[in-house]
Amino acid sequence: SLLAVVFQSHFFISNVMNGLVWIVLPQALVVVNDSMAYICGFFWPWKKNPLILLSPKKTWEGFIGGALFTCIACWFLSAHLAQNPYYICPVEVTDNFIFSVVPEDRCEIDNIYKVQEILKVPTVFGSDFLKNLLNREVIKMRWFQVHSCMIALFASILGPFGGFFASGLKRGFKIKDFGDSIP
């Protein structure tokens, strides 16, 4: 148990030291995924398909809808966070063990947070249809947004397993709600 606590603490602090965005973004994506999976599963108008027998209220529709909306939210949330130096600048520790974000004037912003030319707009079957549609020659974006989409997919696929674990734990203790576990 000491290794689990120390390793997790070490990695958490390492993430914080590289910028608060590496803590805020994954947590926000898990919240978006859980919320949108619930909404998509609850409001699905047709026959629902259960995802796992352990959690009968979790559906494939909620799982897929949550993943889709998490990826969409991730694109815009990561673009917003990448523009705010408070989130992307590293954190430093003072002599009194006080954590603070490096001030903007001393913060060297990494290139992954800057808008860059990623690739040229491809021609489709020799046609410039996409170039005309997008009205540009190159596609510009932040590499951080691409990386964030991978985090969103990871959160969408593995995030529901926390709910499955909680359902299994509740069934093991034969309780309906975790609120009943504390007298």
PDB file of all heavy atoms in Angstrom, residues 27 37 43 47 54 59 76-77 79 102 104 107 120 135 140 144 149 154 168 174 181 183:
ATOM      1  N   GLN A  27      -9.439  15.553 -15.291  1.00  0.00           N
ATOM      2  CA  GLN A  27     -10.558  15.505 -14.350  1.00  0.00           C
ATOM      3  C   GLN A  27     -11.829  16.057 -14.982  1.00  0.00           C
ATOM      4  O   GLN A  27     -12.911  15.486 -14.817  1.00  0.00           O
ATOM      5  CB  GLN A  27     -10.214  16.280 -13.088  1.00  0.00           C
ATOM      6  CG  GLN A  27      -9.169  15.606 -12.247  1.00  0.00           C
ATOM      7  CD  GLN A  27      -8.764  16.413 -11.032  1.00  0.00           C
ATOM      8  OE1 GLN A  27      -9.111  17.585 -10.890  1.00  0.00           O
ATOM      9  NE2 GLN A  27      -8.022  15.790 -10.139  1.00  0.00           N
ATOM     10  N   ALA A  37     -22.654  10.547 -20.513  1.00  0.00           N
ATOM     11  CA  ALA A  37     -23.086   9.144 -20.617  1.00  0.00           C
ATOM     12  C   ALA A  37     -24.438   8.970 -19.930  1.00  0.00           C
ATOM     13  O   ALA A  37     -25.320   8.274 -20.442  1.00  0.00           O
ATOM     14  CB  ALA A  37     -22.041   8.222 -20.006  1.00  0.00           C
ATOM     15  N   PHE A  43     -31.858   9.708 -21.929  1.00  0.00           N
ATOM     16  CA  PHE A  43     -32.783  10.297 -22.900  1.00  0.00           C
ATOM     17  C   PHE A  43     -32.819   9.562 -24.237  1.00  0.00           C
ATOM     18  O   PHE A  43     -33.438  10.035 -25.176  1.00  0.00           O
ATOM     19  CB  PHE A  43     -32.436  11.776 -23.132  1.00  0.00           C
ATOM     20  CG  PHE A  43     -32.787  12.644 -21.961  1.00  0.00           C
ATOM     21  CD1 PHE A  43     -31.781  13.194 -21.182  1.00  0.00           C
ATOM     22  CD2 PHE A  43     -34.105  12.879 -21.618  1.00  0.00           C
ATOM     23  CE1 PHE A  43     -32.092  13.983 -20.094  1.00  0.00           C
ATOM     24  CE2 PHE A  43     -34.422  13.670 -20.534  1.00  0.00           C
ATOM     25  CZ  PHE A  43     -33.415  14.227 -19.761  1.00  0.00           C
ATOM     26  N   LYS A  47     -35.068   1.454 -27.898  1.00  0.00           N
ATOM     27  CA  LYS A  47     -34.683   0.361 -27.005  1.00  0.00           C
ATOM     28  C   LYS A  47     -33.226   0.513 -26.587  1.00  0.00           C
ATOM     29  O   LYS A  47     -32.350   0.766 -27.403  1.00  0.00           O
ATOM     30  CB  LYS A  47     -34.880  -0.969 -27.740  1.00  0.00           C
ATOM     31  CG  LYS A  47     -34.563  -2.181 -26.889  1.00  0.00           C
ATOM     32  CD  LYS A  47     -34.752  -3.454 -27.698  1.00  0.00           C
ATOM     33  CE  LYS A  47     -34.444  -4.667 -26.883  1.00  0.00           C
ATOM     34  NZ  LYS A  47     -33.039  -4.921 -26.678  1.00  0.00           N
ATOM     35  N   LEU A  54     -23.404  -6.226 -14.481  1.00  0.00           N
ATOM     36  CA  LEU A  54     -23.094  -5.748 -13.140  1.00  0.00           C
ATOM     37  C   LEU A  54     -23.748  -4.398 -12.850  1.00  0.00           C
ATOM     38  O   LEU A  54     -24.139  -4.115 -11.729  1.00  0.00           O
ATOM     39  CB  LEU A  54     -21.572  -5.627 -12.991  1.00  0.00           C
ATOM     40  CG  LEU A  54     -21.014  -5.361 -11.612  1.00  0.00           C
ATOM     41  CD1 LEU A  54     -21.394  -6.504 -10.667  1.00  0.00           C
ATOM     42  CD2 LEU A  54     -19.511  -5.221 -11.679  1.00  0.00           C
ATOM     43  N   THR A  59     -25.732   1.785 -20.332  1.00  0.00           N
ATOM     44  CA  THR A  59     -26.097   1.304 -21.664  1.00  0.00           C
ATOM     45  C   THR A  59     -25.000   1.621 -22.668  1.00  0.00           C
ATOM     46  O   THR A  59     -24.158   2.499 -22.452  1.00  0.00           O
ATOM     47  CB  THR A  59     -27.406   1.964 -22.144  1.00  0.00           C
ATOM     48  OG1 THR A  59     -27.189   3.373 -22.272  1.00  0.00           O
ATOM     49  CG2 THR A  59     -28.549   1.699 -21.178  1.00  0.00           C
ATOM     50  N   PHE A  76     -12.644  21.845 -27.505  1.00  0.00           N
ATOM     51  CA  PHE A  76     -12.834  23.250 -27.149  1.00  0.00           C
ATOM     52  C   PHE A  76     -12.223  23.588 -25.783  1.00  0.00           C
ATOM     53  O   PHE A  76     -11.650  24.661 -25.604  1.00  0.00           O
ATOM     54  CB  PHE A  76     -14.322  23.595 -27.187  1.00  0.00           C
ATOM     55  CG  PHE A  76     -14.899  23.489 -28.570  1.00  0.00           C
ATOM     56  CD1 PHE A  76     -15.698  22.415 -28.915  1.00  0.00           C
ATOM     57  CD2 PHE A  76     -14.604  24.431 -29.538  1.00  0.00           C
ATOM     58  CE1 PHE A  76     -16.213  22.297 -30.189  1.00  0.00           C
ATOM     59  CE2 PHE A  76     -15.104  24.325 -30.828  1.00  0.00           C
ATOM     60  CZ  PHE A  76     -15.913  23.257 -31.160  1.00  0.00           C
ATOM     61  N   LEU A  77     -12.334  22.675 -24.839  1.00  0.00           N
ATOM     62  CA  LEU A  77     -11.771  22.911 -23.508  1.00  0.00           C
ATOM     63  C   LEU A  77     -10.245  23.000 -23.564  1.00  0.00           C
ATOM     64  O   LEU A  77      -9.644  23.878 -22.945  1.00  0.00           O
ATOM     65  CB  LEU A  77     -12.205  21.809 -22.541  1.00  0.00           C
ATOM     66  CG  LEU A  77     -11.705  21.932 -21.110  1.00  0.00           C
ATOM     67  CD1 LEU A  77     -12.236  23.218 -20.469  1.00  0.00           C
ATOM     68  CD2 LEU A  77     -12.120  20.722 -20.299  1.00  0.00           C
ATOM     69  N   ALA A  79      -8.416  23.898 -26.126  1.00  0.00           N
ATOM     70  CA  ALA A  79      -8.061  25.156 -26.794  1.00  0.00           C
ATOM     71  C   ALA A  79      -8.170  26.321 -25.817  1.00  0.00           C
ATOM     72  O   ALA A  79      -7.320  27.219 -25.791  1.00  0.00           O
ATOM     73  CB  ALA A  79      -8.950  25.394 -28.003  1.00  0.00           C
ATOM     74  N   VAL A 102       4.445  29.730 -12.146  1.00  0.00           N
ATOM     75  CA  VAL A 102       5.489  30.651 -12.606  1.00  0.00           C
ATOM     76  C   VAL A 102       4.814  31.857 -13.253  1.00  0.00           C
ATOM     77  O   VAL A 102       3.907  31.686 -14.077  1.00  0.00           O
ATOM     78  CB  VAL A 102       6.420  29.936 -13.618  1.00  0.00           C
ATOM     79  CG1 VAL A 102       7.393  30.898 -14.249  1.00  0.00           C
ATOM     80  CG2 VAL A 102       7.138  28.789 -12.951  1.00  0.00           C
ATOM     81  N   GLU A 104       3.816  34.964 -15.681  1.00  0.00           N
ATOM     82  CA  GLU A 104       3.794  34.995 -17.146  1.00  0.00           C
ATOM     83  C   GLU A 104       5.087  35.529 -17.739  1.00  0.00           C
ATOM     84  O   GLU A 104       5.533  35.051 -18.783  1.00  0.00           O
ATOM     85  CB  GLU A 104       2.627  35.855 -17.637  1.00  0.00           C
ATOM     86  CG  GLU A 104       1.298  35.175 -17.572  1.00  0.00           C
ATOM     87  CD  GLU A 104       0.211  36.019 -18.192  1.00  0.00           C
ATOM     88  OE1 GLU A 104       0.393  36.499 -19.327  1.00  0.00           O
ATOM     89  OE2 GLU A 104      -0.819  36.192 -17.523  1.00  0.00           O
ATOM     90  N   CYS A 107       7.507  32.689 -17.735  1.00  0.00           N
ATOM     91  CA  CYS A 107       7.003  31.420 -18.279  1.00  0.00           C
ATOM     92  C   CYS A 107       7.364  31.304 -19.759  1.00  0.00           C
ATOM     93  O   CYS A 107       7.053  32.175 -20.557  1.00  0.00           O
ATOM     94  CB  CYS A 107       5.485  31.351 -18.111  1.00  0.00           C
ATOM     95  SG  CYS A 107       4.761  29.879 -18.813  1.00  0.00           S
ATOM     96  N   LYS A 120      -0.852  20.252 -44.784  1.00  0.00           N
ATOM     97  CA  LYS A 120      -1.508  20.896 -45.927  1.00  0.00           C
ATOM     98  C   LYS A 120      -2.853  20.226 -46.172  1.00  0.00           C
ATOM     99  O   LYS A 120      -2.995  19.026 -45.964  1.00  0.00           O
ATOM    100  CB  LYS A 120      -0.634  20.788 -47.174  1.00  0.00           C
ATOM    101  CG  LYS A 120       0.643  21.600 -47.086  1.00  0.00           C
ATOM    102  CD  LYS A 120       1.398  21.507 -48.399  1.00  0.00           C
ATOM    103  CE  LYS A 120       2.696  22.257 -48.248  1.00  0.00           C
ATOM    104  NZ  LYS A 120       2.767  23.438 -49.028  1.00  0.00           N
ATOM    105  N   ASN A 135     -11.416  27.090 -47.331  1.00  0.00           N
ATOM    106  CA  ASN A 135     -10.879  28.405 -47.704  1.00  0.00           C
ATOM    107  C   ASN A 135      -9.476  28.618 -47.131  1.00  0.00           C
ATOM    108  O   ASN A 135      -9.175  29.681 -46.605  1.00  0.00           O
ATOM    109  CB  ASN A 135     -11.824  29.524 -47.287  1.00  0.00           C
ATOM    110  CG  ASN A 135     -11.534  30.814 -48.015  1.00  0.00           C
ATOM    111  OD1 ASN A 135     -10.910  30.798 -49.075  1.00  0.00           O
ATOM    112  ND2 ASN A 135     -11.974  31.918 -47.454  1.00  0.00           N
ATOM    113  N   LYS A 140      -4.349  24.573 -39.385  1.00  0.00           N
ATOM    114  CA  LYS A 140      -3.636  25.073 -38.210  1.00  0.00           C
ATOM    115  C   LYS A 140      -4.388  24.667 -36.952  1.00  0.00           C
ATOM    116  O   LYS A 140      -5.615  24.759 -36.915  1.00  0.00           O
ATOM    117  CB  LYS A 140      -3.527  26.599 -38.247  1.00  0.00           C
ATOM    118  CG  LYS A 140      -2.709  27.133 -39.385  1.00  0.00           C
ATOM    119  CD  LYS A 140      -2.657  28.651 -39.330  1.00  0.00           C
ATOM    120  CE  LYS A 140      -1.843  29.197 -40.461  1.00  0.00           C
ATOM    121  NZ  LYS A 140      -1.741  30.657 -40.400  1.00  0.00           N
ATOM    122  N   PHE A 144      -1.508  20.299 -28.662  1.00  0.00           N
ATOM    123  CA  PHE A 144      -2.113  19.982 -27.370  1.00  0.00           C
ATOM    124  C   PHE A 144      -3.554  19.502 -27.539  1.00  0.00           C
ATOM    125  O   PHE A 144      -4.014  18.622 -26.816  1.00  0.00           O
ATOM    126  CB  PHE A 144      -2.061  21.211 -26.456  1.00  0.00           C
ATOM    127  CG  PHE A 144      -2.698  21.001 -25.125  1.00  0.00           C
ATOM    128  CD1 PHE A 144      -2.179  20.076 -24.233  1.00  0.00           C
ATOM    129  CD2 PHE A 144      -3.821  21.708 -24.748  1.00  0.00           C
ATOM    130  CE1 PHE A 144      -2.767  19.867 -23.001  1.00  0.00           C
ATOM    131  CE2 PHE A 144      -4.408  21.517 -23.522  1.00  0.00           C
ATOM    132  CZ  PHE A 144      -3.886  20.591 -22.644  1.00  0.00           C
ATOM    133  N   CYS A 149      -7.311  14.939 -27.258  1.00  0.00           N
ATOM    134  CA  CYS A 149      -8.299  13.993 -27.801  1.00  0.00           C
ATOM    135  C   CYS A 149      -7.934  12.559 -27.433  1.00  0.00           C
ATOM    136  O   CYS A 149      -8.821  11.740 -27.185  1.00  0.00           O
ATOM    137  CB  CYS A 149      -8.418  14.155 -29.307  1.00  0.00           C
ATOM    138  SG  CYS A 149      -9.287  15.657 -29.780  1.00  0.00           S
ATOM    139  N   PHE A 154      -9.117   7.937 -23.868  1.00  0.00           N
ATOM    140  CA  PHE A 154      -8.692   7.126 -22.723  1.00  0.00           C
ATOM    141  C   PHE A 154      -9.697   7.254 -21.581  1.00  0.00           C
ATOM    142  O   PHE A 154     -10.115   6.250 -20.993  1.00  0.00           O
ATOM    143  CB  PHE A 154      -7.294   7.581 -22.280  1.00  0.00           C
ATOM    144  CG  PHE A 154      -6.711   6.760 -21.185  1.00  0.00           C
ATOM    145  CD1 PHE A 154      -6.150   5.519 -21.451  1.00  0.00           C
ATOM    146  CD2 PHE A 154      -6.696   7.221 -19.883  1.00  0.00           C
ATOM    147  CE1 PHE A 154      -5.595   4.753 -20.443  1.00  0.00           C
ATOM    148  CE2 PHE A 154      -6.154   6.465 -18.865  1.00  0.00           C
ATOM    149  CZ  PHE A 154      -5.602   5.230 -19.141  1.00  0.00           C
ATOM    150  N   GLY A 168     -19.915  -3.211  -8.404  1.00  0.00           N
ATOM    151  CA  GLY A 168     -19.521  -4.511  -7.857  1.00  0.00           C
ATOM    152  C   GLY A 168     -19.313  -4.460  -6.356  1.00  0.00           C
ATOM    153  O   GLY A 168     -19.697  -5.384  -5.631  1.00  0.00           O
ATOM    154  N   LYS A 174     -24.130  -5.764  -0.547  1.00  0.00           N
ATOM    155  CA  LYS A 174     -25.592  -5.810  -0.591  1.00  0.00           C
ATOM    156  C   LYS A 174     -26.230  -4.492  -0.134  1.00  0.00           C
ATOM    157  O   LYS A 174     -27.147  -4.478   0.688  1.00  0.00           O
ATOM    158  CB  LYS A 174     -26.119  -6.980   0.242  1.00  0.00           C
ATOM    159  CG  LYS A 174     -25.706  -8.325  -0.303  1.00  0.00           C
ATOM    160  CD  LYS A 174     -26.338  -9.433   0.487  1.00  0.00           C
ATOM    161  CE  LYS A 174     -26.030 -10.801   0.005  1.00  0.00           C
ATOM    162  NZ  LYS A 174     -24.891 -11.116  -0.736  1.00  0.00           N
ATOM    163  N   SER A 181     -23.820   2.865   3.455  1.00  0.00           N
ATOM    164  CA  SER A 181     -22.691   2.155   4.038  1.00  0.00           C
ATOM    165  C   SER A 181     -22.171   2.814   5.300  1.00  0.00           C
ATOM    166  O   SER A 181     -21.463   2.196   6.079  1.00  0.00           O
ATOM    167  CB  SER A 181     -21.553   2.028   3.009  1.00  0.00           C
ATOM    168  OG  SER A 181     -21.096   3.318   2.647  1.00  0.00           O
ATOM    169  N   PRO A 183     -23.386   4.413   8.774  1.00  0.00           N
ATOM    170  CA  PRO A 183     -24.588   4.559   9.610  1.00  0.00           C
ATOM    171  C   PRO A 183     -24.767   6.000  10.096  1.00  0.00           C
ATOM    172  O   PRO A 183     -23.831   6.713  10.308  1.00  0.00           O
ATOM    173  CB  PRO A 183     -24.332   3.629  10.782  1.00  0.00           C
ATOM    174  CG  PRO A 183     -23.052   2.931  10.539  1.00  0.00           C
ATOM    175  CD  PRO A 183     -22.403   3.525   9.349  1.00  0.00           C
TER     176      PRO A 183
END
